[in-house]
Amino acid sequence: MSIAGLLVGPIFGIITPEESFGDLFGPLVSLAVAIILFEGSLNLNLKEIRGFNKPVWRIVTFGAFLAWIGGALAAHYVAGLSWGVSFVIGGLFIVTGPTVILPLLRQAKLKARPAALLKWEGIIVDPFGALLALFAFQFVLFAQGDVTAAAFGLFFLASIFATALGAGAGLGLGWMFERGQIPEFLKSPMVFGVVLLTFVISDIVMHETGLLAVTAMGMVMANMNIASINDMRHFKENISVLLISSVFLMLTASLSMEVLLEIFNWSIISFVLVMLFIVRPISIWLSTIGTELSWQEKALVGWIAPRGIVALTVSGYFANVLLGAGFEDAELLTALTFALVFSTVVAHGFTITWAGRKLGLASAQEPGVIIIGASRFTTVLAKALHDMGKNVLLVDASWGRLNNARQLGINTYVGNILSEHTEYEVELTPYEKMIVASETDSFNALVVNNFVPEMGRNNLYQTAIHEGDPADFHASLSGRILFTEDWNIHALDEKTEQGYAIRSTKLTDRFTYEEYNKKWSANTIPLFIENAQGNIEFFSSDKVLEPKQGDTIVSFTGPERDSDRIQERLEIKRNKKGPQTKE
């Protein structure tokens, strides 16, 4: 989006957002940032950091302070800025932000703890970065005698007011939601409106405190156990994707060629390198001394710190107010900010997956399969996947149903996959596909719809419906129907009792898929294909698979197939011996 903005803006001059939007440009960008930050804070459930909350709070407090001081020193001694501008920009550059961190975490598939550390830091530090910059600016004016102590103290009162306003708005909305005071279809629009209202009221009291208010609002609502929080979160995620794209385009398209060329100034490049390789790692390592973090986790968190929209938008405001206060070197602020944003997004975006794997903090196993519902058939299926070296997890609420799977060495979890407790106990990152195969069709459909946003409907499979109207049920609620419409979980369990077993057949140039169908179509249920690269694809009612040479077809076959195979081997042996003659 940044590249697209540069192309349509300063390079080819197709659009100039500031001219097109006029006075609305700044407010529109600010409101978009408020919504994005609120959406991110809706993910900050305190249960996620249970057991390692100490390093989180250390990083967002002492670590942020160290990054502020280090950034200010780098701005003064490396970039050559005055002390006043340096302390303002040092506070601003502690931000990372959900606009860049959350997409990177989805891409990298890190383990739970480092991912939570980066996410919490990115969302919490965003508003504090703006407040630190504002605090530094107020302090500089106070030191110069431009403002009184009372005006300086107003900053702290405004921050407290913003926090209280946001928390109160979150509590009020949550209370109304839980008691049915707001119709279901109005919940998302109501949240949308209250977020904007909270941001604007707080920002009117003091500029840049609105971000703190919406973050507090989101955190409060995330920890209230609101039943409809997931619906709101999904709505906000969709809005955020559109807003992030639009804001990055607008901000980069509004740059001038002079600012772009200024980015390549040696002092700016040196400042960026110091921020990347000295300030960030030192602040993380020092702030996490005495915590349970491993050196690998410290190294990864110390490297990954991409700056995003908040840094871009807030830097424009401070560039103007600093210039108005007589700091002429503040003209460099815009170029410095864009240089740091571009450099960190590119450097960290292209290395987070590699770094996570090298440090052992990414999922080491290839994407696996999670199976919901333990039965005779799913246990056999899980065993077959396990024996093929696939990462598989079998989940059921009954300890007894999982007993056979445990004895076979299959990974199991006892619990309801939809419960909040399970959400924080089961790490879903290693699993790419989900098979929902409980005996209750409505529960299967509920699980599928719950995990669509995280896994995508293409990766969600559900056993066939065995009651009701399949056509209507499938179209609106269910995932991809596993195998065919004829094989529901009861029918599959019945076949397991009759002696059906899972077999593998590798296709060759001599034994093609056509020959396989001719020979084994009767009493055979094709389950999935493993290609030459080791990837698996399940047969489903909505997609016709075409296995190729080198693929392995895994099927569920009747006991008569074993008899056929024995007969084949006997025939082969007889043919090898040749005709027998009596002496």
Side-chain angles (χ1 to χ4, degrees):
M1 292 300 159
S2 299
I3 293 173
L6 291 175
L7 290 175
V8 300
I11 294 178
F12 294 113
I14 299 173
I15 61 172
T16 307
E18 287 183 322
E19 292 182 4
S20 301
F21 289 99
D23 293 338
L24 289 176
F25 178 78
L28 283 175
V29 171
S30 297
L31 292 174
V33 172
I35 295 168
I36 293 166
L37 199 54
F38 171 76
E39 187 274 324
S41 62
L42 274 181
N43 297 300
L44 298 183
N45 193 309
L46 291 171
K47 293 181 180 178
E48 186 179 19
I49 57 171
R50 185 181 297 162
F52 63 98
N53 55 352
K54 183 179 179 180
V56 171
W57 300 122
R58 284 274 200 90
I59 289 173
V60 301
T61 53
F62 186 49
F65 175 78
L66 292 175
W68 177 29
I69 301 302
L73 293 173
H76 180 70
Y77 289 109
V78 179
L81 300 177
S82 62
W83 279 115
V85 176
S86 295
F87 273 101
V88 172
I89 200 173
L92 176 61
F93 285 166
I94 71 170
V95 304
T96 52
T99 60
V100 282
I101 281 294
L102 296 183
L104 290 189
L105 294 180
R106 293 190 190 104
Q107 162 196 325
K109 295 188 179 298
L110 298 178
K111 291 182 178 178
R113 191 156 74 175
L117 285 169
L118 289 170
K119 181 176 76 173
W120 275 72
E121 182 202 13
I123 296 170
I124 292 179
V125 171
D126 248 16
F128 284 114
L131 288 177
L132 270 179
L134 186 61
F135 168 79
F137 177 66
Q138 294 291 330
F139 182 80
V140 168
L141 294 182
F142 173 73
Q144 291 181 340
D146 295 335
V147 298
T148 63
F152 184 59
L154 182 63
F155 163 79
F156 296 99
L157 293 176
S159 299
I160 295 171
F161 170 77
T163 305
L165 177 65
L171 286 170
L173 268 182
W175 183 86
M176 294 172 73
F177 285 171
E178 289 297 276
R179 285 156 180 77
Q181 300 295 319
I182 300 174
E184 196 68 31
F185 72 97
L186 285 180
K187 285 184 177 180
S188 291
M190 177 65 76
V191 172
F192 189 83
V194 173
V195 168
L196 297 181
L197 181 63
T198 303
F199 173 80
V200 169
I201 292 174
S202 183
D203 234 39
I204 288 174
V205 173
M206 179 164 283
H207 200 62
E208 301 305 337
T209 60
L211 297 179
L212 180 62
V214 296
T215 302
M217 179 180 171
M219 281 193 66
V220 167
M221 295 187 72
N223 290 276
M224 288 182 66
N225 300 319
I226 301 172
S228 55
I229 191 71
N230 284 331
D231 294 334
M232 291 185 291
R233 187 181 291 126
H234 298 155
F235 170 77
K236 295 296 181 186
E237 284 176 355
N238 295 333
I239 293 293
S240 292
V241 170
L242 294 173
L243 291 178
I244 290 170
S245 306
S246 302
V247 170
F248 265 112
L249 275 168
M250 291 168 63
L251 290 174
T252 52
S254 64
L255 286 176
S256 65
M257 286 301 298
E258 289 75 15
V259 172
L260 282 181
L261 294 175
E262 200 171 15
I263 288 175
F264 297 99
N265 187 301
W266 71 268
S267 61
I268 292 181
I269 294 174
S270 301
F271 171 79
V272 170
L273 293 175
V274 169
M275 293 292 288
L276 282 173
F277 296 103
I278 298 178
V279 174
R280 171 67 178 183
I282 289 177
S283 65
I284 294 299
W285 281 83
L286 290 179
S287 64
T288 54
I289 291 175
T291 65
E292 63 270 28
L293 295 187
S294 64
W295 72 265
Q296 293 94 336
E297 290 170 324
K298 293 179 182 180
L300 182 67
V301 176
W303 167 241
I304 302 299
R307 276 65 171 185
I309 285 177
V310 172
L312 291 175
T313 55
V314 177
S315 67
Y317 165 76
F318 282 109
N320 292 328
V321 296
L322 284 168
L323 285 171
F327 294 93
E328 296 182 0
D329 54 338
E331 290 181 344
L332 198 64
L333 197 56
T334 302
L336 207 62
T337 305
F338 273 92
L340 187 62
V341 169
F342 288 154
S343 301
T344 53
V345 167
V346 171
H348 300 151
F350 280 105
T351 60
I352 185 170
T353 302
W354 174 84
R357 289 174 180 169
K358 288 294 182 182
L359 294 170
L361 299 176
S363 179
Q365 297 173 302
E366 66 180 43
V369 180
I370 182 169
I371 302 175
I372 312 301
S375 64
R376 294 181 181 86
F377 171 74
T378 57
T379 301
V380 170
L381 177 61
K383 176 62 174 173
L385 290 166
H386 176 75
D387 291 344
M388 294 173 68
K390 306 302 178 186
N391 184 20
V392 61
L393 176 68
L394 185 58
V395 178
D396 197 282
S398 168
W399 176 272
R401 290 191 179 192
L402 290 168
N403 187 50
N404 190 27
R406 284 193 300 272
Q407 293 177 358
L408 294 173
I410 300 167
N411 291 329
T412 61
Y413 177 81
V414 181
N416 187 335
I417 192 64
L418 294 178
S419 74
E420 187 180 4
H421 178 74
T422 304
E423 180 181 352
Y424 297 105
E425 290 289 331
V426 178
E427 176 56 45
L428 292 176
T429 302
Y431 305 102
E432 183 182 47
K433 300 179 187 298
M434 177 183 286
I435 293 175
V436 191
S438 79
E439 295 180 351
T440 308
D441 294 327
S442 56
F443 177 76
N444 293 345
L446 190 61
V447 173
V448 166
N449 279 271
N450 185 76
F451 284 96
V452 165
E454 286 79 17
M455 305 186 74
R457 197 173 291 274
N458 249 5
N459 294 320
L460 292 165
Y461 297 87
Q462 177 180 341
T463 48
I465 308 299
H466 56 276
E467 57 187 25
D469 184 352
D472 292 342
F473 203 81
H474 296 173
S476 60
L477 295 174
S478 70
R480 302 174 64 185
I481 299 303
L482 201 61
F483 316 137
T484 68
E485 301 279 357
D486 300 324
W487 297 108
N488 59 58
I489 190 62
H490 296 286
L492 292 168
D493 281 345
E494 185 178 341
K495 292 297 182 184
T496 307
E497 288 184 6
Q498 293 173 4
Y500 271 61
I502 293 182
R503 317 283 184 217
S504 299
T505 305
K506 187 167 184 177
L507 301 181
T508 64
D509 55 344
R510 294 184 178 180
F511 190 73
T512 63
Y513 184 49
E514 289 74 16
E515 292 175 342
Y516 169 87
N517 281 328
K518 291 176 184 177
K519 194 158 193 174
W520 301 120
S521 59
N523 300 319
T524 297
I525 307 169
L527 302 181
F528 62 88
I529 297 170
E530 182 185 35
N531 63 22
Q533 290 75 38
N535 300 319
I536 62 174
E537 181 70 25
F538 288 94
F539 285 89
S540 61
S541 62
D542 65 331
K543 185 176 181 181
V544 178
L545 298 182
E546 297 180 359
K548 301 181 290 294
Q549 178 183 335
D551 292 350
T552 299
I553 301 179
V554 179
S555 56
F556 199 43
T557 63
E560 60 273 13
R561 179 169 171 180
D562 287 338
S563 302
D564 294 341
R565 283 189 163 183
I566 294 171
Q567 189 65 34
E568 277 186 0
R569 293 192 190 102
L570 292 174
E571 289 292 335
I572 291 171
K573 287 181 180 179
R574 291 194 192 99
N575 292 334
K576 284 183 178 179
K577 289 180 179 179
Q580 301 293 320
T581 57
K582 292 183 179 180
E583 294 183 359

